[in-house]
């Protein structure tokens, strides 16, 4: 089954404790992206990747890192999480950036205390 | 800087009625997307619009794009309760992967 998976689905952590949210897709998609969703603010793009080893900042990259060493995986790293990073995070992928629909993962709800 | 505005943000409709959601954006774009999100769920792609005058339809939903007016519409025909969800438009630009979302329109269809 074609899908985007994220882990963990729920995470409660403390300020400053490094964490990684994994994202994996099995569709051989070139384009992958991370978003955060906050009430009243909609979805905002954090980072995206056009292909392996090619990543770029979205609108809200501060406090986040990403890497794209393999086509299928696009982990989101929070080196020193802060409470303002408490949010619902979605990973998404599409065949290419230009024309195709995005497939979204199920989301990761992160709480930083 | 690309800005995307959706309106209305909240929409309560009666079953059987028609309505339109609007998505305005501030700078030239060649890609516009519509998504649906059910409460507590992830997002699902509805439409991808790539050129001026593009129109796509699926079921009771029809999306159109006017790049000159920088406007996309999502038209709902004869609404049914199953269409209750939040609808987002998102706009991309050029070959870059940056995507800007509107704040979403929460649609509630009542019997």
């Amino acid at each position: 089954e074609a899908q985007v998976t994220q882990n963990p689905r729920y995470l409660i952590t403390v300020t400053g404790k490094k964490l990684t949210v994994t994202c994996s897709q099995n569709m051989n998609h070139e384009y992958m992206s991370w978003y955060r969703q906050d009430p009243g603010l909609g979805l905002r793009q954090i980072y995206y990747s056009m292909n392996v080893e090619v990543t770029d900042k979205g609108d809200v990259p501060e406090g986040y890192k990403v890497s794209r060493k393999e086509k299928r995986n696009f982990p989101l790293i929070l080196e020193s999480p802060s409470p303002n990073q408490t949010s619902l995070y979605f990973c998404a992928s599409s065949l290419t950036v230009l024309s195709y629909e995005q497939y979204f993962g199920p989301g990761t709800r992160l709480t930083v205390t | 800087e690309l800005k995307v505005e959706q309106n209305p943000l909240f929409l309560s409709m009666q079953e059987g009625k028609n309505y339109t959601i609007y998505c305005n954006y501030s700078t030239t774009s060649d890609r516009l997307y519509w998504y649906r999100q059910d409460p507590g769920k992830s997002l699902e792609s509805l439409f991808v619009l790539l050129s001026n005058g593009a129109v796509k339809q699926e079921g009771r939903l029809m999306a159109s794009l006017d790049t000159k007016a920088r406007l996309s519409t999502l038209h709902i025909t004869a609404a049914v309760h199953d269409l209750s969800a939040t609808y987002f438009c998102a706009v991309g630009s050029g070959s870059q992967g940056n995507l800007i979302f509107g704040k979403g329109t929460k649609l509630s269809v009542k019997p």
Side-chain angles (χ1 to χ4, degrees):
Chain A
E1 180 193 351
Q3 59 182 351
V4 178
T5 57
Q6 291 179 232
N7 282 292
R9 294 288 311 279
Y10 303 91
L11 179 59
I12 301 173
T13 190
V14 296
T15 298
K17 186 176 180 183
K18 181 180 178 179
L19 66 93
T20 299
V21 183
T22 64
C23 173
S24 184
Q25 50 92 3
N26 62 0
M27 296 169 277
N28 203 36
H29 284 171
E30 290 184 353
Y31 178 81
M32 298 185 75
S33 184
W34 276 103
Y35 304 92
R36 61 179 288 175
Q37 184 174 26
D38 301 291
L41 296 177
L43 274 91
R44 293 178 292 168
Q45 192 177 41
I46 303 170
Y47 270 94
Y48 61 90
S49 170
M50 307 274 269
N51 213 326
V52 176
E53 302 291 2
V54 181
T55 63
D56 211 342
K57 296 176 181 177
D59 282 342
V60 289
E62 296 79 17
Y64 304 95
K65 285 174 61 174
V66 292
S67 68
R68 188 96 181 269
K69 293 186 171 57
E70 310 164 274
K71 203 170 192 178
R72 63 184 295 127
N73 295 324
F74 190 43
L76 179 70
I77 303 155
L78 286 72
E79 296 262 0
S80 183
S82 63
N84 66 10
Q85 292 178 298
T86 293
S87 188
L88 179 59
Y89 292 86
F90 289 103
C91 179
S93 73
S94 63
L95 189 59
T96 71
V97 68
L98 288 179
S99 328
Y100 295 88
E101 64 177 304
Q102 282 194 90
Y103 293 81
F104 282 78
T108 295
R109 187 165 290 282
L110 172 65
T111 302
V112 184
T113 62
Chain B
E1 180 189 349
L2 176 59
K3 292 190 187 303
V4 179
E5 271 193 23
Q6 271 182 253
N7 66 81
L9 297 182
F10 299 93
L11 179 55
S12 182
M13 299 176 63
Q14 282 200 307
E15 278 192 331
K17 299 289 188 183
N18 304 333
Y19 210 80
T20 300
I21 299 170
Y22 297 89
C23 176
N24 290 88
Y25 53 98
S26 60
T27 64
T28 302
S29 173
D30 56 2
R31 288 173 287 131
L32 192 137
Y33 306 81
W34 284 97
Y35 299 94
R36 169 184 171 142
Q37 185 178 36
D38 292 311
K41 303 287 187 184
S42 187
L43 283 84
E44 172 193 351
S45 289
L46 293 175
F47 302 110
V48 178
L49 303 168
L50 300 176
S51 59
N52 188 41
V55 177
K56 293 210 175 165
Q57 182 164 7
E58 181 157 340
R60 299 174 189 274
L61 300 178
M62 183 174 72
S64 65
L65 178 61
D66 181 343
T67 58
K68 292 176 182 168
R70 296 177 188 163
L71 171 69
S72 179
T73 59
L74 181 66
H75 187 73
I76 302 153
T77 302
V80 293
H81 179 69
D82 284 354
L83 290 179
S84 297
T86 298
Y87 293 86
F88 293 94
C89 67
V91 180
S93 184
S95 61
Q96 296 305 308
N98 198 211
L99 204 58
I100 307 294
F101 280 73
K103 288 186 165 46
T105 297
K106 186 172 183 179
L107 172 66
S108 175
V109 181
K110 301 184 186 309

